[in-house]
Amino acid sequence: MKRGNFVTFEGCEGVGKSTQLKLLKEYAEQNGIEIIFTREPGGTSVSEQIRNVILDVNNTSMVAECESLLYAAARAQLIKEIILPALEAGKTVVCDRYIDSSFAYQAYGRNLGFELVARFNSYALSDCMPDVTILLDMRPEDNFRKKKGKIIDDRMENESLEFHDKVYDGFTAVADKFPERIVKIKPTGDKLLTHRLVIEALKTRGIL
Ligand code: TYD
């Protein structure tokens, strides 16, 4: 059985990642393409519990190393429980955020550095790297919180705009490091146009 394709979606807060994933899901349904959608941190019962600890606004004392290891722990569970079995069964898996978020948020945003975060994740990954990563390449807007139209109840979103700007620089650096794997797409104001760019990129790389 040929191993399935593994695709991840990445980007800063409020750049329309959820909308693009929803549009991709609809596209797959309409075209009879089977895709397993999952998300990080989360996607399994254990990983969702870890997610709650990571994002809990009351955990103000959490150090960056602990945060990074918790993301890696949630990832290890998701990989072994969901992602690898699906890929081994020949299915396509699309994950909302993955290792590049750890590089952008923990290595760059939290200043842990690329090497340390890569080392933490080497235990978690079981060599399971994405075949293609779609990076929605846009700086977070200062109104991203308002745009989401909800009360902030998440420790990462609560961070300053300076932090989220550093995260953007992190994504840019990681895209430069892995140019073969990471496809940068600039979201336009038109979500359907962006969707077409996503579909085109996935078709070009033989995913769809
Ligand atoms: P979520 O509500 O899923 O954010 P979004 O809708 O923007 O994808 O929350 C996940 C948060 O965790 C988000 O702020 C990004 C952050 N994150 C990391 O800092 N490191 C990681 O490795 C991952 C997967 C996510």
Side-chain angles (χ1 to χ4, degrees), residues 78-91:
L78 179 68
I79 290 171
K80 290 228 162 136
E81 192 177 328
I82 305 283
I83 297 176
L84 279 180
L87 293 177
E88 277 156 17
K91 294 184 178 151

Side-chain angles (χ1 to χ4, degrees), residues 34-146:
E34 192 191 357
I35 297 181
I36 309 283
F37 284 88
T38 187
R39 72 157 180 182
E40 273 218 61
T44 74
S45 163
V46 170
S47 309
E48 290 289 336
Q49 290 174 65
I50 298 173
R51 174 192 174 91
N52 291 338
V53 174
I54 299 174
L55 299 181
D56 186 340
V57 283
N58 297 312
N59 285 335
T60 49
S61 61
M62 190 183 291
V63 298
E65 288 82 355
C66 174
E67 180 183 285
S68 193
L69 286 163
L70 286 176
Y71 277 113
R75 181 164 301 136
Q77 183 70 32
L78 179 68
I79 290 171
K80 290 228 162 136
E81 192 177 328
I82 305 283
I83 297 176
L84 279 180
L87 293 177
E88 277 156 17
K91 294 184 178 151
T92 298
V93 176
V94 172
C95 193
D96 180 356
R97 296 195 181 281
Y98 195 66
I99 178 76
D100 299 307
S101 279
S102 283
F103 289 141
Y105 284 79
Q106 279 69 53
Y108 288 82
R110 297 284 193 221
N111 297 317
L112 283 182
F114 184 85
E115 295 309 325
L116 183 63
V117 172
R119 193 135 47 92
F120 286 165
N121 276 276
S122 69
Y123 297 106
L125 275 184
S126 308
D127 280 335
C128 185
M129 280 299 278
D131 300 299
V132 178
T133 297
I134 302 286
L135 171 60
L136 295 179
D137 180 22
M138 192 175 128
R139 276 193 188 279
E141 291 174 22
D142 48 8
N143 65 344
F144 77 80
R145 297 180 172 91
K146 261 189 256 149

Side-chain angles (χ1 to χ4, degrees), residues 13-25:
E13 319 277 332
V15 300
K17 191 163 51 61
S18 307
T19 305
Q20 288 308 317
L21 282 161
K22 191 168 147 266
L23 290 170
L24 177 61
K25 200 171 187 173

